[in-house]
Amino acid sequence: MCGIIGITSTRPVAAKLAQGVRRLEYRGYDSVGVATLADNGIELRKGVGKVDQVDAELDFASAPGITGIAHCRWGTHGGITQANAHPHVAPGGRIAIVHNGIIENFLELKEQLLAEGAQFLSETDTEVVVHLIERALKVADSLEEAVHVATAQIVGSYALGVVCLDEPDKLIATRNESPLVVGFGEDEHLIASDVAALLEHTKTVVYLDNREVAVLTPGSCSIFDPHGEKIDKPRHEIDWDVEAAEKAGYEHYMLKEIFEQPAKITDTIRPRLRDHEVVFEPDTGITADILRGVDRVVFLACGTSWHAAMVGEFLFEELAKVPAEVEYASEFRYRNTPIPPGTLLVAISQSGETADTNAALEEAVRRGNRTLAICNVRGSSMTRIAAHTIHTHAGPEIGVASTKAFTTQLAALYLLTIGMAQAKGSLSQQQIDTMIMGLREIPQKMERVLDQAGEIQNIAKQMTSRSNAIYLGRGAHFPIALEGALKLKEISYIHAEGYPAAEMKHGPIALIDKQMPVIVIAPQDKLTYQKTLGNIEEVKAREGTVIAIATEGDEVIPRLADFTIFVPETLYSLGPLMSVLPLQLLSYHVAELRGCDVDKPRNLSKVVTVE
Ligand code: AGP
């Protein structure tokens, strides 16, 4: 939702704060601000716009002080205004805070404060918090005690960074539901919403858990549990370097992340694949006995991760012979779906911070169901809610449109399916060996698809002036049709819908005319290939433009379609890892040709931590 960073140091911090908030901009970018503790008071600089734009006006780096906080916002309460930008300063001018999350009881708290005569400068929920801290500090013995008293009154989610002129070398950090990481620098301590903002200063971090409080000075770090007891937290060494979060020479993060997919698939499958079996790391707690005991799977996810779950449903039913269903997390959490014992709840999320998915998962845990997360961010909230986690190794995904996270989620689902089939004996050893071999070949087959980026860019030119598009797929590729449509609409703003190909005749075919591009996923599979050819002919008969995704060597499709993109032949079940790539590249090039902000599309943020 928003990004926060804070530093307490022996050296000036403003430039580092500005750079750090740049690395967090994908979390929200409608306004940005920096606050440092200067000798003559709090130096507050904030404005509306992206970091570079506001920094050019306010010169963040010149702010004095060796303690400070910064924030980039994706507004939830209050318009996009300078007053609503963070940091927020208490009326007495001595305390400043930054916040990521939503204070659900903020209206009630604000009414209480207004009744006591408080003056508010903004419409935000966050400003209520700085008033509560200032009020608590009048009787508390320390800033951390005041923060503890204030947050005890809060209902909702928060990651907070707090500084105060009364204790100018101290930085207080605490969280509930929203992510917050503590970094151990050289004669300095840092906090951030995401490790990407810390990597150039440290790779040693600690992930705070809910309602824990970190009290930081340049030379000390004390962490307290929700009851105020001092605790030791495990330190993690991050193996992502700053370059991994850079664009590596590509025009956009999204394009870099599309081309990283072969390597990230390798990183995700290699540690778990043996010649004849799949083995999960001991710290996942996933054993053959646990998988053998699963007799039903329910997936919980949102957005692109929901599309991955749709492929997972196909895999579990087709290969592991386990009934599966996919639930929108935002719907599941408000229903009383009967979940019989023996059901495995599988939550899928790139960020591990999607509020609806985490809330649905927490509900499943509360009901006593066995839970498993497929997640890309170590230490994220979801990984601490689920009983088991399979980490995807996609590395930081900065582009708002998810690409490598999606395909590594599919890779994790293939691993889980093979593991389940092994445990249950639903596939022969030969079939398992074939699957494992097929999976090992995927990265180099992906490279062959990505090598066609130039041709795909040419095809994209046919779509830049269109207002609509239809995506068709069958079986395991129906979720890929949905994913392709989402990619196009979320970054190029062209309206697009995905359908099972056979659904065309039940309504959508009325939309076909010469202005309607139809992207058809048509692998040469035995079951439905001929039927899909029929769908292509139906579209052509109505003057629609057909862009087909076909299997290398297919000589029929190019004669029917206006444009054909070939993907290498694979096992049918592995086909989604091939067919999604052209659709990712197609959406990227259409958006780029339309001059859209590919990495930061309008109205979207990378992590949706609001419900
Ligand atoms: C996908 O391109 C979008 N960015 C969005 O649908 C995303 O997949 C969704 O918000 C879920 O995010 P998560 O995987 O981090 O839970």
Short mmCIF file of all heavy atoms in Angstrom, two decimals, residues 177 298-309 326-334 345-367 371-376 380-388 409 606-611:
data_model
loop_
_atom_site.label_atom_id
_atom_site.label_comp_id
_atom_site.label_asym_id
_atom_site.label_seq_id
_atom_site.Cartn_x
_atom_site.Cartn_y
_atom_site.Cartn_z
N GLU A 177 -0.03 -6.40 11.10
CA GLU A 177 -0.50 -6.81 9.78
C GLU A 177 0.34 -6.24 8.62
O GLU A 177 0.61 -6.90 7.65
CB GLU A 177 -1.98 -6.45 9.53
CG GLU A 177 -2.94 -7.02 10.55
CD GLU A 177 -2.81 -8.54 10.67
OE1 GLU A 177 -2.50 -9.18 9.65
OE2 GLU A 177 -2.98 -9.06 11.79
N VAL A 298 -8.39 -26.52 -1.31
CA VAL A 298 -9.09 -25.26 -1.61
C VAL A 298 -8.03 -24.16 -1.73
O VAL A 298 -7.22 -23.97 -0.83
CB VAL A 298 -10.09 -24.89 -0.49
CG1 VAL A 298 -10.67 -23.49 -0.72
CG2 VAL A 298 -11.23 -25.91 -0.44
N PHE A 299 -8.03 -23.50 -2.88
CA PHE A 299 -7.07 -22.42 -3.11
C PHE A 299 -7.68 -21.08 -2.72
O PHE A 299 -8.87 -20.83 -2.98
CB PHE A 299 -6.69 -22.37 -4.60
CG PHE A 299 -5.81 -23.49 -5.05
CD1 PHE A 299 -6.34 -24.58 -5.74
CD2 PHE A 299 -4.44 -23.46 -4.80
CE1 PHE A 299 -5.52 -25.62 -6.17
CE2 PHE A 299 -3.62 -24.50 -5.23
CZ PHE A 299 -4.16 -25.59 -5.91
N LEU A 300 -6.85 -20.21 -2.14
CA LEU A 300 -7.26 -18.85 -1.77
C LEU A 300 -6.27 -17.88 -2.40
O LEU A 300 -5.05 -18.03 -2.21
CB LEU A 300 -7.22 -18.68 -0.25
CG LEU A 300 -8.02 -19.68 0.60
CD1 LEU A 300 -7.68 -19.47 2.08
CD2 LEU A 300 -9.50 -19.51 0.35
N ALA A 301 -6.75 -16.90 -3.15
CA ALA A 301 -5.83 -15.96 -3.79
C ALA A 301 -6.62 -14.79 -4.37
O ALA A 301 -7.86 -14.78 -4.33
CB ALA A 301 -5.04 -16.67 -4.90
N CYS A 302 -5.89 -13.83 -4.92
CA CYS A 302 -6.48 -12.67 -5.61
C CYS A 302 -5.71 -12.43 -6.91
O CYS A 302 -4.54 -12.78 -7.01
CB CYS A 302 -6.36 -11.41 -4.76
SG CYS A 302 -7.16 -11.54 -3.16
N GLY A 303 -6.38 -11.83 -7.87
CA GLY A 303 -5.69 -11.33 -9.08
C GLY A 303 -4.93 -12.41 -9.83
O GLY A 303 -5.41 -13.52 -10.05
N THR A 304 -3.71 -12.05 -10.21
CA THR A 304 -2.89 -13.01 -10.98
C THR A 304 -2.64 -14.28 -10.19
O THR A 304 -2.61 -15.39 -10.73
CB THR A 304 -1.56 -12.34 -11.36
OG1 THR A 304 -1.82 -11.46 -12.46
CG2 THR A 304 -0.51 -13.33 -11.78
N SER A 305 -2.50 -14.15 -8.87
CA SER A 305 -2.29 -15.35 -8.05
C SER A 305 -3.51 -16.25 -8.10
O SER A 305 -3.40 -17.48 -7.97
CB SER A 305 -1.96 -14.93 -6.62
OG SER A 305 -0.76 -14.20 -6.61
N TRP A 306 -4.67 -15.67 -8.29
CA TRP A 306 -5.90 -16.46 -8.43
C TRP A 306 -5.85 -17.25 -9.74
O TRP A 306 -6.26 -18.40 -9.80
CB TRP A 306 -7.10 -15.51 -8.41
CG TRP A 306 -8.45 -16.16 -8.36
CD1 TRP A 306 -9.13 -16.58 -7.25
CD2 TRP A 306 -9.31 -16.44 -9.47
NE1 TRP A 306 -10.34 -17.12 -7.60
CE2 TRP A 306 -10.48 -17.04 -8.96
CE3 TRP A 306 -9.20 -16.25 -10.85
CZ2 TRP A 306 -11.55 -17.44 -9.77
CZ3 TRP A 306 -10.26 -16.66 -11.67
CH2 TRP A 306 -11.40 -17.25 -11.12
N HIS A 307 -5.27 -16.65 -10.76
CA HIS A 307 -5.12 -17.38 -12.03
C HIS A 307 -4.15 -18.55 -11.86
O HIS A 307 -4.37 -19.64 -12.39
CB HIS A 307 -4.63 -16.45 -13.14
CG HIS A 307 -5.59 -15.34 -13.42
ND1 HIS A 307 -5.18 -14.09 -13.86
CD2 HIS A 307 -6.94 -15.26 -13.33
CE1 HIS A 307 -6.23 -13.32 -14.04
NE2 HIS A 307 -7.31 -13.99 -13.71
N ALA A 308 -3.10 -18.34 -11.10
CA ALA A 308 -2.18 -19.45 -10.82
C ALA A 308 -2.92 -20.57 -10.09
O ALA A 308 -2.76 -21.75 -10.39
CB ALA A 308 -1.01 -18.96 -9.96
N ALA A 309 -3.78 -20.18 -9.16
CA ALA A 309 -4.56 -21.19 -8.42
C ALA A 309 -5.47 -21.97 -9.37
O ALA A 309 -5.67 -23.18 -9.19
CB ALA A 309 -5.39 -20.50 -7.34
N VAL A 326 -11.11 -23.33 -6.41
CA VAL A 326 -10.44 -22.04 -6.26
C VAL A 326 -11.43 -21.02 -5.73
O VAL A 326 -12.52 -20.89 -6.27
CB VAL A 326 -9.88 -21.55 -7.62
CG1 VAL A 326 -9.15 -20.22 -7.44
CG2 VAL A 326 -8.93 -22.59 -8.21
N GLU A 327 -11.04 -20.32 -4.68
CA GLU A 327 -11.91 -19.30 -4.09
C GLU A 327 -11.22 -17.95 -4.20
O GLU A 327 -10.02 -17.83 -3.90
CB GLU A 327 -12.11 -19.61 -2.60
CG GLU A 327 -12.91 -20.85 -2.30
CD GLU A 327 -14.41 -20.60 -2.36
OE1 GLU A 327 -14.81 -19.44 -2.65
OE2 GLU A 327 -15.17 -21.55 -2.13
N TYR A 328 -12.01 -16.92 -4.58
CA TYR A 328 -11.48 -15.57 -4.38
C TYR A 328 -11.36 -15.37 -2.87
O TYR A 328 -12.34 -15.52 -2.14
CB TYR A 328 -12.45 -14.53 -4.96
CG TYR A 328 -12.33 -14.32 -6.45
CD1 TYR A 328 -13.37 -14.65 -7.31
CD2 TYR A 328 -11.16 -13.78 -6.99
CE1 TYR A 328 -13.25 -14.45 -8.68
CE2 TYR A 328 -11.04 -13.57 -8.37
CZ TYR A 328 -12.09 -13.91 -9.20
OH TYR A 328 -11.97 -13.72 -10.57
N ALA A 329 -10.18 -15.00 -2.41
CA ALA A 329 -9.99 -14.85 -0.96
C ALA A 329 -10.99 -13.86 -0.38
O ALA A 329 -11.53 -14.06 0.71
CB ALA A 329 -8.55 -14.39 -0.68
N SER A 330 -11.26 -12.79 -1.14
CA SER A 330 -12.15 -11.73 -0.62
C SER A 330 -13.58 -12.25 -0.45
O SER A 330 -14.34 -11.71 0.35
CB SER A 330 -12.18 -10.55 -1.59
OG SER A 330 -12.56 -11.00 -2.89
N GLU A 331 -13.93 -13.29 -1.15
CA GLU A 331 -15.27 -13.89 -1.00
C GLU A 331 -15.25 -14.95 0.08
O GLU A 331 -16.11 -14.97 0.95
CB GLU A 331 -15.71 -14.52 -2.33
CG GLU A 331 -16.00 -13.51 -3.42
CD GLU A 331 -17.19 -12.64 -3.08
OE1 GLU A 331 -18.27 -13.18 -2.80
OE2 GLU A 331 -17.02 -11.40 -3.04
N PHE A 332 -14.25 -15.77 0.07
CA PHE A 332 -14.18 -16.91 1.01
C PHE A 332 -14.25 -16.42 2.45
O PHE A 332 -14.93 -17.01 3.29
CB PHE A 332 -12.86 -17.66 0.78
CG PHE A 332 -12.63 -18.81 1.72
CD1 PHE A 332 -13.16 -20.06 1.46
CD2 PHE A 332 -11.87 -18.62 2.88
CE1 PHE A 332 -12.95 -21.12 2.35
CE2 PHE A 332 -11.65 -19.67 3.76
CZ PHE A 332 -12.19 -20.93 3.49
N ARG A 333 -13.58 -15.31 2.72
CA ARG A 333 -13.44 -14.87 4.12
C ARG A 333 -14.79 -14.44 4.72
O ARG A 333 -14.94 -14.43 5.93
CB ARG A 333 -12.43 -13.73 4.24
CG ARG A 333 -12.81 -12.50 3.45
CD ARG A 333 -11.81 -11.43 3.60
NE ARG A 333 -11.73 -10.94 4.97
CZ ARG A 333 -11.24 -9.75 5.31
NH1 ARG A 333 -10.75 -8.97 4.39
NH2 ARG A 333 -11.20 -9.35 6.57
N TYR A 334 -15.76 -14.15 3.87
CA TYR A 334 -17.05 -13.72 4.42
C TYR A 334 -18.13 -14.80 4.29
O TYR A 334 -19.29 -14.57 4.56
CB TYR A 334 -17.52 -12.44 3.71
CG TYR A 334 -16.61 -11.27 3.95
CD1 TYR A 334 -15.86 -10.73 2.91
CD2 TYR A 334 -16.44 -10.74 5.23
CE1 TYR A 334 -15.00 -9.68 3.12
CE2 TYR A 334 -15.57 -9.69 5.46
CZ TYR A 334 -14.86 -9.16 4.40
OH TYR A 334 -13.99 -8.11 4.61
N LEU A 345 -5.82 -26.02 2.75
CA LEU A 345 -6.06 -24.65 2.24
C LEU A 345 -4.73 -24.11 1.71
O LEU A 345 -3.77 -23.99 2.48
CB LEU A 345 -6.57 -23.75 3.37
CG LEU A 345 -8.08 -23.72 3.67
CD1 LEU A 345 -8.83 -23.06 2.55
CD2 LEU A 345 -8.63 -25.06 4.02
N VAL A 346 -4.68 -23.84 0.41
CA VAL A 346 -3.45 -23.34 -0.20
C VAL A 346 -3.64 -21.87 -0.59
O VAL A 346 -4.45 -21.56 -1.45
CB VAL A 346 -3.07 -24.17 -1.45
CG1 VAL A 346 -1.80 -23.61 -2.10
CG2 VAL A 346 -2.86 -25.64 -1.06
N ALA A 347 -2.90 -20.99 0.08
CA ALA A 347 -2.97 -19.55 -0.24
C ALA A 347 -1.80 -19.21 -1.15
O ALA A 347 -0.67 -19.65 -0.90
CB ALA A 347 -2.89 -18.72 1.03
N ILE A 348 -2.06 -18.44 -2.19
CA ILE A 348 -1.02 -18.07 -3.14
C ILE A 348 -0.90 -16.55 -3.17
O ILE A 348 -1.91 -15.84 -3.30
CB ILE A 348 -1.33 -18.60 -4.55
CG1 ILE A 348 -1.49 -20.12 -4.54
CG2 ILE A 348 -0.21 -18.21 -5.53
CD1 ILE A 348 -1.85 -20.73 -5.90
N SER A 349 0.32 -16.05 -3.02
CA SER A 349 0.53 -14.60 -3.04
C SER A 349 1.98 -14.26 -3.35
O SER A 349 2.88 -14.86 -2.76
CB SER A 349 0.16 -14.01 -1.68
OG SER A 349 0.48 -12.64 -1.62
N GLN A 350 2.21 -13.33 -4.21
CA GLN A 350 3.56 -12.85 -4.47
C GLN A 350 4.08 -12.13 -3.24
O GLN A 350 5.11 -12.48 -2.71
CB GLN A 350 3.56 -11.90 -5.68
CG GLN A 350 4.91 -11.43 -6.16
CD GLN A 350 5.57 -10.35 -5.28
OE1 GLN A 350 6.73 -10.53 -4.93
NE2 GLN A 350 4.88 -9.29 -4.91
N SER A 351 3.31 -11.17 -2.75
CA SER A 351 3.78 -10.28 -1.68
C SER A 351 3.67 -10.90 -0.30
O SER A 351 4.39 -10.54 0.62
CB SER A 351 2.94 -9.01 -1.69
OG SER A 351 1.57 -9.36 -1.42
N GLY A 352 2.68 -11.78 -0.13
CA GLY A 352 2.42 -12.30 1.21
C GLY A 352 1.79 -11.27 2.13
O GLY A 352 1.69 -11.46 3.33
N GLU A 353 1.34 -10.15 1.52
CA GLU A 353 0.74 -9.07 2.34
C GLU A 353 -0.64 -8.67 1.84
O GLU A 353 -1.20 -7.70 2.33
CB GLU A 353 1.64 -7.84 2.33
CG GLU A 353 3.05 -8.07 2.89
CD GLU A 353 3.08 -8.54 4.35
OE1 GLU A 353 2.04 -8.41 5.04
OE2 GLU A 353 4.12 -9.01 4.80
N THR A 354 -1.19 -9.41 0.90
CA THR A 354 -2.53 -9.06 0.39
C THR A 354 -3.55 -9.27 1.49
O THR A 354 -3.71 -10.40 1.98
CB THR A 354 -2.87 -9.90 -0.85
OG1 THR A 354 -1.92 -9.58 -1.87
CG2 THR A 354 -4.28 -9.62 -1.36
N ALA A 355 -4.21 -8.21 1.88
CA ALA A 355 -5.06 -8.26 3.07
C ALA A 355 -6.13 -9.33 2.95
O ALA A 355 -6.33 -10.13 3.88
CB ALA A 355 -5.70 -6.89 3.30
N ASP A 356 -6.83 -9.39 1.82
CA ASP A 356 -7.93 -10.35 1.69
C ASP A 356 -7.42 -11.79 1.78
O ASP A 356 -8.05 -12.65 2.42
CB ASP A 356 -8.67 -10.13 0.38
CG ASP A 356 -9.62 -8.94 0.45
OD1 ASP A 356 -10.25 -8.77 1.51
OD2 ASP A 356 -9.70 -8.18 -0.53
N THR A 357 -6.30 -12.05 1.15
CA THR A 357 -5.79 -13.43 1.17
C THR A 357 -5.33 -13.81 2.56
O THR A 357 -5.63 -14.90 3.06
CB THR A 357 -4.64 -13.58 0.15
OG1 THR A 357 -5.05 -13.05 -1.11
CG2 THR A 357 -4.24 -15.04 -0.03
N ASN A 358 -4.64 -12.88 3.23
CA ASN A 358 -4.18 -13.18 4.60
C ASN A 358 -5.36 -13.34 5.55
O ASN A 358 -5.36 -14.22 6.41
CB ASN A 358 -3.24 -12.07 5.09
CG ASN A 358 -1.86 -12.19 4.47
OD1 ASN A 358 -1.54 -13.22 3.86
ND2 ASN A 358 -1.05 -11.15 4.58
N ALA A 359 -6.37 -12.53 5.37
CA ALA A 359 -7.54 -12.65 6.26
C ALA A 359 -8.25 -13.98 6.05
O ALA A 359 -8.66 -14.65 7.01
CB ALA A 359 -8.50 -11.48 6.01
N ALA A 360 -8.35 -14.40 4.79
CA ALA A 360 -8.99 -15.70 4.49
C ALA A 360 -8.17 -16.83 5.09
O ALA A 360 -8.69 -17.79 5.66
CB ALA A 360 -9.14 -15.87 2.98
N LEU A 361 -6.86 -16.69 4.99
CA LEU A 361 -5.96 -17.72 5.52
C LEU A 361 -6.06 -17.78 7.04
O LEU A 361 -6.14 -18.86 7.63
CB LEU A 361 -4.53 -17.41 5.10
CG LEU A 361 -3.47 -18.48 5.35
CD1 LEU A 361 -3.80 -19.77 4.61
CD2 LEU A 361 -2.11 -17.96 4.94
N GLU A 362 -6.12 -16.61 7.66
CA GLU A 362 -6.26 -16.59 9.13
C GLU A 362 -7.57 -17.25 9.56
O GLU A 362 -7.63 -17.97 10.55
CB GLU A 362 -6.19 -15.14 9.64
CG GLU A 362 -4.78 -14.59 9.68
CD GLU A 362 -4.73 -13.11 10.00
OE1 GLU A 362 -5.70 -12.41 9.66
OE2 GLU A 362 -3.71 -12.67 10.58
N GLU A 363 -8.60 -17.05 8.77
CA GLU A 363 -9.90 -17.68 9.05
C GLU A 363 -9.77 -19.20 8.97
O GLU A 363 -10.25 -19.94 9.82
CB GLU A 363 -10.94 -17.17 8.06
CG GLU A 363 -12.34 -17.76 8.21
CD GLU A 363 -12.97 -17.47 9.56
OE1 GLU A 363 -12.53 -16.52 10.23
OE2 GLU A 363 -13.85 -18.25 9.96
N ALA A 364 -9.02 -19.67 7.98
CA ALA A 364 -8.82 -21.12 7.82
C ALA A 364 -8.03 -21.67 9.01
O ALA A 364 -8.36 -22.72 9.55
CB ALA A 364 -8.08 -21.40 6.52
N VAL A 365 -7.03 -20.92 9.44
CA VAL A 365 -6.23 -21.35 10.61
C VAL A 365 -7.13 -21.39 11.84
O VAL A 365 -7.12 -22.35 12.60
CB VAL A 365 -5.05 -20.39 10.83
CG1 VAL A 365 -4.35 -20.69 12.16
CG2 VAL A 365 -4.06 -20.49 9.67
N ARG A 366 -7.98 -20.36 11.98
CA ARG A 366 -8.87 -20.29 13.15
C ARG A 366 -9.80 -21.51 13.19
O ARG A 366 -10.10 -22.04 14.25
CB ARG A 366 -9.70 -19.00 13.08
CG ARG A 366 -10.49 -18.66 14.34
CD ARG A 366 -11.34 -17.42 14.15
NE ARG A 366 -12.35 -17.63 13.10
CZ ARG A 366 -13.45 -18.36 13.27
NH1 ARG A 366 -13.67 -18.94 14.43
NH2 ARG A 366 -14.32 -18.50 12.29
N ARG A 367 -10.21 -21.97 12.00
CA ARG A 367 -11.12 -23.13 11.95
C ARG A 367 -10.37 -24.45 12.12
O ARG A 367 -10.98 -25.51 12.09
CB ARG A 367 -11.84 -23.16 10.60
CG ARG A 367 -12.78 -22.00 10.37
CD ARG A 367 -13.41 -22.15 9.00
NE ARG A 367 -14.11 -20.97 8.54
CZ ARG A 367 -14.63 -20.87 7.32
NH1 ARG A 367 -14.52 -21.87 6.47
NH2 ARG A 367 -15.25 -19.78 6.95
N THR A 371 -2.96 -25.49 6.53
CA THR A 371 -2.74 -24.39 5.58
C THR A 371 -1.34 -24.42 5.01
O THR A 371 -0.39 -24.84 5.67
CB THR A 371 -2.92 -23.03 6.30
OG1 THR A 371 -2.03 -23.01 7.43
CG2 THR A 371 -4.36 -22.84 6.76
N LEU A 372 -1.25 -24.00 3.77
CA LEU A 372 0.04 -23.94 3.08
C LEU A 372 0.06 -22.68 2.22
O LEU A 372 -0.94 -22.36 1.56
CB LEU A 372 0.22 -25.19 2.19
CG LEU A 372 1.55 -25.35 1.46
CD1 LEU A 372 1.89 -26.82 1.28
CD2 LEU A 372 1.52 -24.68 0.07
N ALA A 373 1.17 -21.94 2.27
CA ALA A 373 1.31 -20.72 1.47
C ALA A 373 2.31 -20.97 0.36
O ALA A 373 3.32 -21.66 0.56
CB ALA A 373 1.80 -19.56 2.34
N ILE A 374 2.02 -20.41 -0.82
CA ILE A 374 3.00 -20.32 -1.90
C ILE A 374 3.27 -18.83 -2.05
O ILE A 374 2.37 -18.07 -2.41
CB ILE A 374 2.47 -20.92 -3.21
CG1 ILE A 374 2.30 -22.44 -3.06
CG2 ILE A 374 3.41 -20.62 -4.39
CD1 ILE A 374 1.69 -23.13 -4.27
N CYS A 375 4.48 -18.40 -1.68
CA CYS A 375 4.72 -16.97 -1.50
C CYS A 375 6.14 -16.62 -1.93
O CYS A 375 7.05 -17.42 -1.84
CB CYS A 375 4.52 -16.61 -0.04
SG CYS A 375 4.65 -14.86 0.30
N ASN A 376 6.32 -15.37 -2.38
CA ASN A 376 7.61 -14.95 -2.91
C ASN A 376 8.45 -14.15 -1.93
O ASN A 376 9.62 -13.90 -2.18
CB ASN A 376 7.39 -14.10 -4.19
CG ASN A 376 8.68 -13.85 -4.94
OD1 ASN A 376 9.50 -14.75 -5.10
ND2 ASN A 376 8.91 -12.60 -5.33
N SER A 380 7.30 -12.49 5.05
CA SER A 380 6.05 -11.73 4.90
C SER A 380 4.98 -12.32 5.81
O SER A 380 5.08 -13.44 6.30
CB SER A 380 5.58 -11.79 3.45
OG SER A 380 5.34 -13.12 3.06
N SER A 381 3.95 -11.53 6.02
CA SER A 381 2.92 -11.93 6.99
C SER A 381 2.34 -13.30 6.67
O SER A 381 2.17 -14.15 7.56
CB SER A 381 1.80 -10.88 7.00
OG SER A 381 2.34 -9.62 7.34
N MET A 382 2.06 -13.57 5.38
CA MET A 382 1.40 -14.84 5.01
C MET A 382 2.25 -16.03 5.45
O MET A 382 1.74 -17.04 5.91
CB MET A 382 1.17 -14.90 3.51
CG MET A 382 0.60 -16.21 3.03
SD MET A 382 0.25 -16.18 1.28
CE MET A 382 -1.21 -15.14 1.27
N THR A 383 3.58 -15.87 5.34
CA THR A 383 4.45 -17.01 5.65
C THR A 383 4.45 -17.30 7.15
O THR A 383 4.86 -18.36 7.58
CB THR A 383 5.89 -16.73 5.19
OG1 THR A 383 6.41 -15.61 5.94
CG2 THR A 383 5.95 -16.42 3.71
N ARG A 384 3.97 -16.31 7.92
CA ARG A 384 3.92 -16.54 9.37
C ARG A 384 2.53 -16.95 9.83
O ARG A 384 2.31 -17.33 10.96
CB ARG A 384 4.40 -15.29 10.11
CG ARG A 384 5.90 -15.04 9.86
CD ARG A 384 6.47 -14.10 10.87
NE ARG A 384 5.80 -12.79 10.82
CZ ARG A 384 6.06 -11.85 9.89
NH1 ARG A 384 6.92 -12.09 8.94
NH2 ARG A 384 5.44 -10.71 9.92
N ILE A 385 1.56 -16.86 8.90
CA ILE A 385 0.20 -17.32 9.23
C ILE A 385 0.04 -18.80 8.86
O ILE A 385 -0.51 -19.58 9.64
CB ILE A 385 -0.84 -16.49 8.45
CG1 ILE A 385 -0.76 -15.00 8.82
CG2 ILE A 385 -2.24 -17.03 8.69
CD1 ILE A 385 -1.53 -14.10 7.87
N ALA A 386 0.56 -19.18 7.70
CA ALA A 386 0.37 -20.55 7.19
C ALA A 386 1.25 -21.53 7.96
O ALA A 386 2.35 -21.20 8.41
CB ALA A 386 0.70 -20.61 5.70
N ALA A 387 0.77 -22.76 8.06
CA ALA A 387 1.55 -23.80 8.74
C ALA A 387 2.77 -24.18 7.92
O ALA A 387 3.82 -24.51 8.46
CB ALA A 387 0.66 -25.03 8.97
N HIS A 388 2.62 -24.15 6.61
CA HIS A 388 3.72 -24.52 5.71
C HIS A 388 3.85 -23.44 4.63
O HIS A 388 2.84 -22.86 4.22
CB HIS A 388 3.43 -25.86 5.02
CG HIS A 388 3.00 -26.95 5.97
ND1 HIS A 388 3.88 -27.66 6.74
CD2 HIS A 388 1.75 -27.42 6.28
CE1 HIS A 388 3.21 -28.54 7.48
NE2 HIS A 388 1.92 -28.43 7.24
N GLN A 409 5.06 -19.25 -9.31
CA GLN A 409 3.95 -19.86 -8.57
C GLN A 409 3.50 -21.16 -9.28
O GLN A 409 3.26 -22.18 -8.64
CB GLN A 409 2.76 -18.90 -8.48
CG GLN A 409 2.96 -17.73 -7.53
CD GLN A 409 1.92 -16.64 -7.69
OE1 GLN A 409 1.09 -16.66 -8.63
NE2 GLN A 409 1.94 -15.68 -6.79
N LYS A 606 1.37 -2.19 -6.09
CA LYS A 606 1.94 -3.53 -6.20
C LYS A 606 1.37 -4.47 -5.14
O LYS A 606 1.18 -5.65 -5.39
CB LYS A 606 3.47 -3.47 -6.05
CG LYS A 606 4.16 -4.83 -6.16
CD LYS A 606 3.97 -5.45 -7.52
CE LYS A 606 4.56 -6.84 -7.61
NZ LYS A 606 4.25 -7.52 -8.90
N VAL A 607 1.11 -3.90 -3.97
CA VAL A 607 0.60 -4.76 -2.89
C VAL A 607 -0.68 -4.15 -2.37
O VAL A 607 -0.70 -2.98 -2.00
CB VAL A 607 1.64 -4.85 -1.74
CG1 VAL A 607 1.14 -5.81 -0.68
CG2 VAL A 607 2.98 -5.32 -2.28
N VAL A 608 -1.73 -4.93 -2.35
CA VAL A 608 -3.03 -4.40 -1.91
C VAL A 608 -3.29 -4.84 -0.47
O VAL A 608 -3.77 -5.94 -0.21
CB VAL A 608 -4.17 -4.89 -2.82
CG1 VAL A 608 -5.50 -4.27 -2.37
CG2 VAL A 608 -3.88 -4.53 -4.28
N THR A 609 -2.85 -3.98 0.46
CA THR A 609 -2.99 -4.37 1.87
C THR A 609 -4.24 -3.73 2.47
O THR A 609 -4.37 -3.62 3.67
CB THR A 609 -1.75 -3.92 2.68
OG1 THR A 609 -1.57 -2.52 2.47
CG2 THR A 609 -0.51 -4.67 2.25
N VAL A 610 -5.15 -3.29 1.61
CA VAL A 610 -6.46 -2.84 2.12
C VAL A 610 -7.51 -3.84 1.64
O VAL A 610 -7.32 -4.52 0.64
CB VAL A 610 -6.85 -1.43 1.64
CG1 VAL A 610 -6.02 -0.38 2.29
CG2 VAL A 610 -6.77 -1.34 0.12
N GLU A 611 -8.67 -3.90 2.34
CA GLU A 611 -9.66 -4.91 1.97
C GLU A 611 -10.69 -4.34 1.01
O GLU A 611 -10.87 -3.14 0.98
CB GLU A 611 -10.34 -5.37 3.26
CG GLU A 611 -9.30 -6.02 4.17
CD GLU A 611 -9.72 -6.02 5.63
OE1 GLU A 611 -10.51 -6.92 5.98
OE2 GLU A 611 -9.32 -5.12 6.35
#
